[in-house]
Amino acid sequence: MQETGSGGSEQEEPEELPEFQDLKVRGRSVRTWGISVIVVLLAISAAFGGLKKAGSETPQVDAGTAIDAGQFAVTIQRVVIVNDLKPLFTPDDGGVLIAVVTKLKVTDDTGTTPPSDLIRLIGVPGVKDTDVPLGTTNLRDETMNPVLTPDAGEDVAYVWKLPKGAKLPTQVDLTVQGYEHEDESILDHHEKWLPDAVVADSTVAVKDNRK
């Protein structure tokens, strides 16, 4: 005899809900939408990350290659070590001089002296990376800190001291500073060129001219 009544009936199992990742939105699963969004975000991130990386990298430029530094066209020609450059520059007792010889051309329509921060030696024993040179000289007439005229390329040497006992480098790393033109400076409301970003790095062999 079959039993009747609620006491003997089995409870129905609740209807299973679909897993979140299996839900459909416009015919596509949430999982698919999520993957698509991640792919798009990664693509955008990669694009902008690539731009930032490219913008933050300084070009490595070989000696003999013209560099656009804004106010100047700069070509690193050579780096030499000398005993002295009398009467313009003299090392400390037992030391020597190191000079970066450049070809400089003013791109502006106003003449100017070579700025002291245009060239920096990097990682040279006895010279701090922030050390300004003793000065500059025009090799044509051996004038100190010469005035350069527009569009006339001149061979200009930047000179530093190397102290006694410093290890003399066989090659040096250096940077070239760039300059940006301001129509009206916020400091004095005059047109001028101001330091911007470093526009080039270079690694140059050093020639020992003491002999």
Side-chain angles (χ1 to χ4, degrees), residues 14-30:
E15 183 180 353
E16 292 186 1
L17 295 175
E19 296 290 341
F20 176 76
Q21 62 267 25
D22 295 327
L23 290 174
K24 301 287 186 178
V25 177
R26 293 189 177 181
R28 299 174 63 185
S29 70
V30 171

Side-chain angles (χ1 to χ4, degrees), residues 98 100 119-124 127-129 160 172-174:
I98 184 169
V100 178
I119 306 294
R120 284 287 185 270
L121 294 177
I122 305 299
V124 175
V127 180
K128 295 179 181 178
D129 293 354
W160 286 261
V172 296
D173 295 326
L174 56 85

